[in-house]
Amino acid sequence: MKIQKIIRKLSDCYLSLPEEAMQTKEISEFTILRLSSVFQADTAYIGNLSDLPKDFPTDTPLFCIQDCDALVDSYTCLTLLPNGLDLLDLSGKISSILAHENRLIEHMHTLISALYSNKGLQYLTNEASRIFGNPVIIVDAGYKLLAMCQAPIPSRPDIEQQRNLGYILDNNIESMKKSNLYELTRMALTPYYSRDPETNDCWITAFVYVHGIEFAQVSVMELDRKFTDIDFELVQFLCELVSVELQKNDFYNCNQGMMHSFLLSELLTGELNDANVIAMRLAHLEWTLTPYLRVLTLTDLKNGFFDGKVQLVAQHMIQLLPDSRWIVYQGRIVFLISLVDSSCKIIAEDKRILEFLQVNGLTASLSDCFSHLTFLRKYYKQCLTAIEIGFQLNSNKPVYMYEDYLCEHIGKIISEQNDLADFCHPVIQKLIAYDNAHKTSLLSTLEAYLQYVDTPNIAAKTLFIHRNTLFYRINRIRELFEIDLSDGDIRLKLQMTLHFLKLKTQRGDPKDQSIEG
């Protein structure tokens, strides 16, 4: 559960909050803070400020009552609470919040099970009605009844009439329009609570979207049980599952990857980042992942993708990368690949994949290796960066790997706020000037040497020169510019400068290799 969610439910009983970035931190349990407490990951600590152990990491999730004037500026994940607050009462509140969250996750699991059972929308609606303890009604944009709870609603004979008719009654449609129910729900952007002025019944209403189009409406009636906070979150989640159910067709019924795609979609959009929920979803899908994950994106830079082509491309790639799942996201085919080790050779050097990309005019980008799905969105962004920078530097490559453009990415970030020349080693500019004046190739020699510092034979081979010629040129560079190439820090600065130089060349005149501002 996110720390910010606990803070939000604690209302206004706090003096200061954690840093904004820390508020998204996930915790799975809490414990009372003691001077003898031992730090544990994924745990929040509740207690008095005076009981804070000195050896705790500064980013430990803490909820502390200010019973002393200790300095707390270094603690980035501390929620400071007013002195006089009862520790037992605070513990009870947070315990209740976590219990509600666990109940929410349990209900989500039940709804997902109903969706994966492939028993249809009515079965999903029945399960939702049982969980809410209240009637659930789903209608489409044309007011046609798609599904509703099985149990009758004696207090509302008009709703029972709608069950038999299969459509919403004209009187009820007019009532909803008169109260601007749909407009208010759209404006709320979240499940909307309202009271019917004519019947005095209370409802939670939310829309179901399919490919961004308003397709249906889910309504839950407050009849047998009073609504709680988790009902609103459950209604939102139910809308997403209804969207998936409505999109099923013969292809999806035969392809269980649809369920995996739904999970990938939530991860890519950032809607899902709770590690516990992700683990639960993976277990239910019986989807076992290795610790070596990568994101691969495919893009048709010239023609774009259309539905038929997407299916053909994805199915062919699945044959080449069997331990992968895919989704179409932001105009790209995005694959999550589960590998046996951290090497990227299986992709970057697979002749079958490279040939398929080249023949079909496709461009791929590959992220670094990662180990947990909570980071999927971040590594997807790596793919976007790799293809953006890589395509500008070399537009003919079939695969752009982020690891090849890390330094250029650093330079790009720096250049947005500073002059890139300020971060470059001055020897490189001198080398460029010397090469121009004497028609030599010392700069390219240095670049190859730095790239293969432990394998000079390879460096010489890339330059098409003899190994002795390589050593002669490197010694010449040492003498001319009085630089110690045995120093790792200096070699790093020189290599970073060469990467920054590529950025400056790409953004300006290709003939201009100057690193001066």
Side-chain angles (χ1 to χ4, degrees), residues 207-222:
F207 288 114
V208 176
Y209 293 90
V210 176
H211 300 306
I213 299 171
E214 193 177 289
F215 196 87
Q217 168 206 323
V218 172
S219 297
V220 182
M221 183 182 183
E222 191 174 42

Side-chain angles (χ1 to χ4, degrees), residues 247-260:
Q247 293 177 69
K248 287 182 180 179
N249 54 34
D250 290 340
F251 171 78
Y252 292 127
N253 288 331
C254 299
N255 181 4
Q256 291 301 311
M258 175 63 183
M259 307 311 170
H260 299 78

Side-chain angles (χ1 to χ4, degrees), residues 437-476:
H438 298 86
K439 308 300 180 184
T440 54
S441 304
L442 296 185
L443 181 65
S444 58
T445 302
L446 177 63
E447 186 172 8
Y449 173 79
L450 293 174
Q451 185 71 25
Y452 302 104
V453 67
D454 290 328
T455 51
N457 286 339
I458 297 178
K461 188 176 181 179
T462 61
L463 294 168
F464 304 101
I465 60 176
H466 192 273
R467 170 179 167 145
N468 291 342
T469 305
L470 173 73
F471 289 142
Y472 169 80
R473 291 182 184 177
I474 293 301
N475 287 330
R476 186 73 176 140

Side-chain angles (χ1 to χ4, degrees), residues 143 156 158 161-162 165 167-179 196 198-199:
Y143 303 108
R156 291 292 300 271
D158 57 326
Q161 187 178 352
Q162 290 173 170
L165 182 65
Y167 283 88
I168 302 296
L169 296 175
D170 289 342
N171 289 341
N172 288 341
I173 294 173
E174 288 303 316
S175 177
M176 288 188 291
K177 289 182 177 179
K178 185 178 178 180
S179 62
D196 188 327
E198 297 180 9
T199 64

Side-chain angles (χ1 to χ4, degrees), residues 115 121 138 140 146 208 210 215-216 239 241-249:
L115 175 70
L121 183 59
I138 303 175
D140 69 11
L146 300 178
V208 176
V210 176
F215 196 87
C239 286
L241 298 188
V242 170
S243 176
V244 174
E245 184 64 42
L246 292 174
Q247 293 177 69
K248 287 182 180 179
N249 54 34

Side-chain angles (χ1 to χ4, degrees), residues 25 76 111 132 156 231-232 241 274 283 297 305 322 343 364 368 381 436 452 456 468 480:
K25 201 167 187 177
T76 58
L111 290 174
F132 285 110
R156 291 292 300 271
D231 289 315
F232 290 84
L241 298 188
D274 186 315
T297 70
F305 282 123
S343 172
D368 283 345
K381 290 181 178 179
N436 290 337
Y452 302 104
N468 291 342
L480 285 171

